[in-house]
Amino acid sequence: MIPLTMPHPVAPHALLSGLFRNLPWPLPQDASAHGPALDLHLFLNLWIALGLFALAHLLLLIGLLRRRSPEPSEDRIWRIEYLPLAALALLFIALAVQAERLWAATRYTGADPAALQVEVTGMQFAWYFRYPGTDATFGTTQPQLVSAAEGNPLGIDPSDPHSHDDLVTSELVLPAGREVDLRLHAQDVIHGFAIPEMRLKQNAVPGQTIHIHFTPTQPGTYAILCTQLCGLGHYRMNANLRVLPPADFAQWIAEKEKAQP
Amino acid sequence: MIPNQKSANPHALRPRLSFLRRYIFTTDHHVIGLQYLALALVAVAVGSTLSLLMRLHLSWPNLALPFHGPILPEDYLALVTLHGTIMLFFVLTTAPQSGFGNLILPAQIGSRTMAFPLLNAASFWITAAALLTLLMSTFAQGGAAISGWTAYPPLSAVASAGPGQALGMDLWLLSIGLFAIASTIASINTLVTIINLRCDGMTWERLPLTVWGWFTAALLSILAFSVLLAALVLLFCDRHAGTSFFLPAGDLVNGTLHSGGNGSPLLWLHLFWFFGHPEVYIAILPGMGLTSMLLANFSRRKVFAYRTMILTTLLIGFLGILVWGHHMFVAGLNPFAGTAFSISTIAIAIPSTAKVLSWLATTWRSRPHLTTAMLFSLGFVSLFITGGLTGPILAQPILDQYLHNTFFVVAHFHFIMAMAGIFGLFSATYYWFPLVTGRMMSESLGRLHFWGTFLGAYTTFLPMHITGLAAEPRHYAQLTGIPGTAAASLLAHGSIPLQSHITYSAIFLASVQILFFINLIHSSHHGLPATGNPWQATTLEWHPELAPFSDQFASNERIAVVRAPCAYSDTSFQTQWDTGHNPE
Ligand code: HEM
Ligand SMILES: [Cu+2]
Ligand SMILES: [Cu+2]
């Protein structure tokens, strides 16, 4: 039940060996703080499902193959049906309780106030990321101002002083080991913001701001996918997440800020 | 001996009707049932072909189709949308609920008619119009809709959102709207029939579990399809009447700015899944009932814990209305609501498990007759277990946050709904074929068909768990050649190696179905003649007075039942009705 992780990135010729080394559950690398607990719970669930699958099929097969006996009396319904049912119910409840704990830990409360603030905007068929800059405040946006051609895909309002230092990127760059508070937006249709290696998925819904928070732990480059059908370019709507050691991140953002017009 | 062979003139006692009146514009529920089944057969052939095209494209993206050329991303999405819509509505809802529901249900409760014959015919023709509309949408300007069977707005609400989202989407809405109307009418008909037309002695507890399946599915249908219909109308208004039920203010879709009111896309998700989850149970409940009855029939046993079976059927129906949010854990639902829906969803696993335990107890050490119909029922149990076990995993929001919209979900519902549902339909066909045609289907072809289909189902859908765990997303028109190094490499080492295996398996699975069609056509002319009650069934559809298209059908003999179904002992059996002498 120890989560085996997949080395990343893997050269194409190592595809098959990569898959087999990680059987039976070939999850991609796990690089977030909440991930290992999630994986462990998932593997537990999968093993239990596999066990019950085998048990049920064994009962079915043995029942078919052994010679005929008188039909089970309904007086034994407690032994045959209700007790196993109660046991399975307890098992499901235990799994659910543990799952709710993990869910509550990541979702019931917001991010730490000290978390890094990043805004994520999904649009057909790209992700954009915005950092609030030194004033720690995002400038306002207006859909009328959106113009990808003029370099303003998010419609940031230049008349808002908060907007001047906002930094817009097409890759998400984060420091390792620091919590990030993402605010998800969608400009047009619903998109699915997903980072498999961060064990994270949350839809971005037009007209809504949805916060999620997580802490990347391992530096590397990871895939941000779109997982909610959003139109013909859905399959190619992705971006990179680059997790950097904290010092490199500080340098990266400083350079970006300096390059701002 | 109860003769049931077709006599020279099967309609001797019936008024002579023209061909059109008898077979096309008929109000005879047997014929309507067959019409529905024929429609579902056409639909399943089309739907399967579409799925093969999808699989071929995923494995060989450069493959060009004759008369069409390469499959473009929008073509792929149109295929997904049509495949899902056709299979869910026109196969898995239509065939069990309306097809066999018409052909068999009235007889099983001892009635010679459905409650509203004219409405019955109307709902068939509306369903046919709905299918035609959907198929025609492929030829619409801009192509067929591309927003999936769940049609989330704003993608589905704004014509500029993509190809196929203009006229194609309107036709999709029209088609499903018609279907919802037809299903509502049909379900009212089913409910009134079951409530009012049961013969003497047919108490609720003596109803076969198939009837309980149809009954519960009909209750759910009325509730679910009426909400769906309302949602469809609202979406149509958003598209054409300037309303903003699902469109937020300032929504900017591909250059089109929505400047109207401030609606919410999530409202659609709530309405849709309030329909959508009961819908999956509508598709499977009749199959569950049939499985229970056939396992008992061929095991020569009672259904173990019959009352509990009735109760769990109703409980599944009831809980089925309370779980829709499990499709929305990561859709923007309040996380506390996620927990609530998680609990109600896990709860539904309990009556489902009870059913499985009951099936295992019914067949336990029974040495059943492994006819083809029985094999498909056993296959149903296997598939239901396999698909059912991943349900509680997906029902845990923290795990769903990894698995949602991956192929793991595709594997879950293809096992528990698509494959189990189809196995139910095969069981029904092999089992009731002699009743309708007076001939048996070939058992040897049937067994071959079963083993091929069973093997094909597992080899096709089991690996999808693996690619899903490796994060392969649903609805991707391509898995290779996508821009973005990290994404390309993630998909490449996670899921590509299994893709061609899945595709080959799918081709195998589809090809095996040719055996079924051969059997169907061959046996209807050359099958062995069937005796009156070839399976030694106990339920009323095998009553000589009730057999469809038989001489005696139009007689007025009173039908009455005297006992519960499945009165089997090791050496004999008793039908629900009193035959006055020992049956064969
Ligand atoms: C043990 C009982 C079951 C549980 C706990 C369960 C749970 C779930 C959950 C949580 C999902 C959402 C997964 C996601 O989208 O991320 C789901 C999806 C689905 N389930 Fe089940 N399920 C059960 C039984 C069934 C049955 C009996 C059917 C059909 C007959 C069914 C058909 C489906 C379908 C079609 C979907 C996918 C819908 C879509 O996204 O298009 N499930 N199930
Ligand atoms: Cu997207
Ligand atoms: Cu559901």
Side-chain angles (χ1 to χ4, degrees), chain B residues 443-468:
Chain B
E443 280 290 314
S444 40
L445 263 183
R447 288 205 184 106
L448 210 59
H449 173 225
F450 166 77
W451 286 110
T453 309
F454 189 66
L455 192 76
Y458 270 96
T459 55
T460 305
F461 297 110
L462 215 49
M464 290 185 185
H465 292 103
I466 302 290
T467 69

Side-chain angles (χ1 to χ4, degrees), chain B residues 192-256:
Chain B
V192 176
T193 304
I194 296 174
I195 294 170
N196 275 356
L197 301 186
R198 278 168 297 135
C199 65
D200 290 343
M202 184 58 88
T203 60
W204 287 94
E205 260 193 87
R206 284 180 184 164
L207 280 182
L209 289 170
T210 27
V211 178
W212 277 107
W214 281 313
F215 180 77
T216 314
L219 279 177
L220 287 178
S221 281
I222 289 181
L223 211 71
F225 277 106
S226 51
V227 172
L228 176 68
L229 187 59
L232 294 169
V233 171
L234 299 187
L235 184 53
F236 191 82
C237 290
D238 272 10
R239 292 170 60 82
H240 297 293
T243 56
S244 318
F245 293 102
F246 309 122
L247 286 172
D251 198 35
L252 178 66
V253 185
N254 201 3
T256 312

Side-chain angles (χ1 to χ4, degrees), chain A:
Chain A
M1 247 172 288
I2 304 302
L4 295 165
T5 55
M6 183 171 284
H8 191 285
V10 171
H13 65 265
L15 297 184
L16 275 173
S17 70
L19 192 67
F20 284 120
R21 236 177 303 136
N22 294 291
L23 283 179
W25 322 124
L27 266 67
Q29 185 189 349
D30 184 337
S32 69
H34 70 275
L38 188 159
D39 283 5
L40 198 65
H41 190 59
L42 178 58
F43 296 138
L44 177 67
N45 265 277
L46 290 167
W47 281 116
I48 289 175
L50 204 60
L52 290 174
F53 168 83
L55 181 68
H57 279 84
L58 216 61
L59 286 175
L60 188 63
L61 266 181
I62 294 175
L64 293 178
L65 295 177
R66 286 184 61 188
R67 68 189 158 73
R68 188 170 171 91
S69 70
E71 73 185 315
S73 153
E74 300 228 348
D75 300 340
R76 289 164 60 209
I77 191 164
W78 274 95
R79 257 184 60 195
I80 294 173
E81 190 159 327
Y82 296 158
L83 283 180
L85 197 58
L88 284 170
L90 282 179
L91 182 65
F92 289 147
I93 290 169
L95 290 173
V97 167
Q98 172 63 6
E100 295 316 327
R101 278 212 192 111
L102 297 174
W103 176 249
T106 55
R107 296 278 183 149
Y108 275 15
T109 51
D112 189 284
L116 177 69
Q117 300 292 319
V118 184
E119 182 199 71
V120 179
T121 305
M123 66 188 70
Q124 290 180 325
F125 301 101
W127 294 107
Y128 284 100
F129 308 94
R130 182 155 69 127
Y131 299 76
T134 40
D135 66 353
T137 309
F138 293 103
T140 48
T141 58
Q142 282 180 29
Q144 290 83 358
L145 298 174
V146 168
S147 167
E150 288 165 30
N152 190 3
L154 301 182
I156 296 174
D157 185 353
S159 65
D160 179 353
H162 290 306
S163 71
H164 296 160
D165 63 345
D166 285 6
L167 183 65
V168 178
T169 62
S170 56
E171 62 173 0
L172 177 61
V173 181
L174 298 175
R178 179 169 171 204
E179 191 179 33
V180 54
D181 180 4
L182 296 180
R183 53 188 74 195
L184 299 180
H185 284 294
Q187 194 177 73
D188 38 32
V189 302
I190 302 178
H191 297 279
F193 180 80
I195 317 176
E197 278 114 333
M198 297 292 145
R199 305 294 188 261
L200 197 71
K201 188 171 290 150
Q202 175 61 54
N203 281 7
V205 183
Q208 262 176 265
T209 303
I210 298 169
H211 282 265
I212 44 168
H213 56 97
F214 71 103
T215 308
T217 51
Q218 298 186 33
T221 304
Y222 308 104
I224 298 173
L225 305 176
C226 177
T227 51
Q228 184 62 57
L229 175 53
C230 62
L232 78 100
H234 172 57
Y235 69 100
R236 56 177 156 85
M237 176 167 168
N238 65 59
N240 285 356
L241 161 64
R242 270 201 301 138
V243 177
L244 301 176
D248 294 5
F249 175 78
Q251 193 188 347
W252 175 83
I253 198 143
E255 273 169 19
K256 280 285 181 186
E257 290 283 354
K258 222 183 295 155
Q260 282 284 82

